[in-house]
Amino acid sequence: MLETSRRTCFTEDHELFRDSVRKFFERELTPHLERWEKAEIVDREFWNKCGEAGLLCPTVPEQYGGLGLDFGYNAVIDEELAYAGSTAGITLHSDIVADYIVAYGSEEQKSRWLPRMISGETPTAIAMTEPGAGSDLQGVRTSAVRDGADYVINGSKTYITNGQHAELTIVVAKTDPGQGARGTSLILVEADRPGYARGRNLDKIGMHSQDTSELFFNDVRVPQTNLLGAEGMGFAYLMNQLPQERLSIACSAQGCAQRAFDEAVKFTKDRKAFGKTVFEFQNTKFTLADLAAKLQVGWAHLDWAIRRHIAGEFTAAEASAAKLWHTELQWEACDASLQLHGGAGYMNEYLIARLWRDARVTRIFGGTNEIMKEVVSRSI
């Protein structure tokens, strides 16, 4: 269990919410984790149960059926989900997609979609990455061409979280290819539109229970009222929302790092070698001491970042630094903890194996850590 008594960014209400999240995950998540890992997707029913428990989109205003809470509640869910050892895509749904619709959606879009997202009726995705465009979103080739009162969308996307479950997707497309970044727009696309096709559920190194898909758009026709915000403003909107996305990743990374450390402590105190526990060897104690110090710094930094974000003061450079630092710590903690498990760490029956596999991608998605260094460097 995560130790939160010394945290500085959460109130008593946040902690009461955390207790309900933990109990929900113990009941509806943990018993199914192994099955979902093998199926490579969570049950569709899990989305509805999360909605019933109030775990989806907690920041959405009350007028659209939400709780109108601050991002601290999202952070609680992010941390607890990661600590539980799950990569279910509810965090992307709540922390990223919902915020785009709240910030840029029309009243009709918000009234139509937000209540369905909150209930779990409509899982969502955001389709940015393409086979030829990853961290550099200016390279997007998917097009959305005006035709009468509609847009006609053509192109393909890949590595899309929630791709198999999503009933609504924010598609990043070029509405004016000649304008570069200024010709990029965000368009809401329903999964039942003719020409919309889900590809295979991608076979990944880790994050097996999170469905990640290719999406294809072949003359997909949507009304121009599906435009999210203003035409040509898509790239600016993406840049505006990236700080919360990267903070969300940092929260999850820190939660996973702590779980990896806790698993290593438990294992080394139980496992014996040469007549004493593995924990008693100096190498083990020093490795764990180094990780404990870095985790202490990580939690303090994360509290600072969450407070700044809630206050509207968190900058793009700070968010990039947070994503960079916490995901690097996550990998270090998972790799060192697996090593302390010895041969057992390489066995899938041990949680550390899953945590290690899942951790590898966090230094890539949300903008690679090399790009994070580039963003931070520009602020120096």
Side-chain angles (χ1 to χ4, degrees):
M1 185 172 71
L2 282 173
E3 170 56 53
T4 62
S5 62
R6 290 175 290 179
R7 300 291 295 277
T8 60
C9 70
F10 296 122
T11 66
E12 183 179 351
D13 286 341
H14 287 114
E15 293 305 332
L16 288 171
F17 181 72
R18 186 186 295 274
D19 185 59
S20 69
V21 171
R22 284 176 177 167
K23 289 176 179 176
F24 174 81
F25 284 160
E26 288 170 4
R27 184 176 67 253
E28 302 293 349
L29 177 83
T30 303
H32 307 292
L33 277 176
E34 292 303 324
R35 178 170 60 83
W36 290 344
E37 284 286 301
K38 292 176 182 176
E40 298 188 344
I41 193 168
V42 303
D43 293 341
R44 175 62 183 82
E45 185 184 12
F46 178 67
W47 284 87
N48 299 98
K49 289 183 177 180
C50 285
E52 291 170 6
L55 268 62
L56 299 180
C57 313
T59 58
V60 169
E62 294 180 25
Q63 67 196 88
Y64 304 112
L67 298 174
L69 302 172
D70 61 56
F71 179 80
Y73 291 84
N74 295 56
V76 166
I77 296 169
D78 297 345
E79 293 171 7
E80 292 296 332
L81 186 71
Y83 192 81
S86 174
T87 57
I90 60 172
T91 55
L92 177 136
H93 174 87
S94 296
D95 298 3
I96 301 174
V97 178
D99 216 50
Y100 275 94
I101 295 177
V102 169
Y104 309 116
S106 66
E107 281 303 311
E108 190 278 331
Q109 289 169 346
K110 288 187 275 194
S111 296
R112 180 183 181 190
W113 293 116
L114 291 174
R116 301 181 191 189
M117 291 172 64
I118 292 163
S119 69
E121 178 186 349
T122 301
T124 60
I126 183 165
M128 301 185 195
T129 304
E130 298 182 1
S135 293
D136 181 12
L137 294 175
Q138 296 186 64
V140 164
R141 297 176 64 101
T142 296
S143 64
V145 178
R146 284 177 177 263
D147 182 31
D150 296 336
Y151 284 110
V152 179
I153 303 173
N154 282 282
S156 64
K157 300 289 183 178
T158 193
Y159 312 144
I160 307 306
T161 299
N162 297 337
Q164 295 295 312
H165 277 318
E167 297 297 333
L168 181 72
T169 302
I170 298 175
V171 177
V172 180
K174 286 289 180 66
T175 45
D176 188 349
Q179 290 296 312
R182 294 183 180 180
T184 304
S185 301
L186 306 183
I187 300 175
L188 296 171
V189 180
E190 303 92 335
D192 59 359
R193 294 277 175 183
Y196 176 104
R198 308 178 201 269
R200 60 197 172 95
N201 192 3
L202 297 171
D203 184 14
K204 308 184 295 294
I205 290 174
M207 292 193 164
H208 288 162
S209 61
Q210 181 190 100
D211 54 308
T212 308
S213 309
E214 300 167 311
L215 298 179
F216 302 97
F217 307 90
N218 183 21
D219 289 335
V220 177
R221 186 175 289 270
V222 301
Q224 289 183 24
T225 52
N226 276 29
L227 177 70
L228 192 61
E231 188 172 281
M233 289 296 293
F235 191 76
Y237 295 158
L238 291 168
M239 295 304 102
N240 289 343
Q241 299 305 116
L242 278 174
Q244 180 159 304
E245 176 181 350
R246 289 170 179 164
L247 179 56
S248 174
I249 293 170
C251 292
S252 297
Q254 183 71 20
C256 178
Q258 186 67 57
R259 182 61 185 270
F261 172 84
D262 291 350
E263 289 296 305
V265 170
K266 181 173 66 174
F267 183 87
T268 56
K269 286 187 174 182
D270 181 64
R271 187 64 174 260
K272 286 186 168 57
F274 304 102
K276 57 183 177 180
T277 65
V278 173
F279 179 82
E280 292 177 82
F281 289 98
Q282 186 183 70
N283 178 72
T284 303
K285 290 189 287 187
F286 279 17
T287 298
L288 291 171
D290 185 55
L291 287 177
K294 291 174 180 176
L295 285 164
Q296 178 179 315
V297 172
W299 287 116
H301 175 262
L302 195 62
D303 284 353
W304 170 86
I306 291 169
R307 288 198 308 270
R308 279 186 62 78
H309 183 57
I310 291 172
E313 300 170 352
F314 201 45
T315 69
E318 290 169 349
S320 297
K323 192 267 182 183
L324 168 66
W325 198 89
H326 288 276
T327 58
E328 293 289 347
L329 173 61
Q330 177 188 15
W331 178 250
E332 180 182 359
C334 288
D335 196 55
S337 296
L338 188 148
Q339 185 72 19
L340 290 175
H341 277 70
Y346 208 63
M347 300 296 109
N348 284 326
E349 65 187 272
Y350 286 88
L351 176 60
I352 190 62
R354 185 199 310 157
L355 297 176
W356 183 82
R357 290 196 312 269
D358 293 349
R360 185 58 188 88
V361 75
T362 64
R363 293 181 291 157
I364 297 173
F365 64 31
T368 66
N369 281 9
E370 290 73 23
I371 296 297
M372 296 304 95
K373 293 176 184 178
E374 179 70 23
V375 174
V376 173
S377 71
R378 292 172 186 169
S379 70
I380 297 172

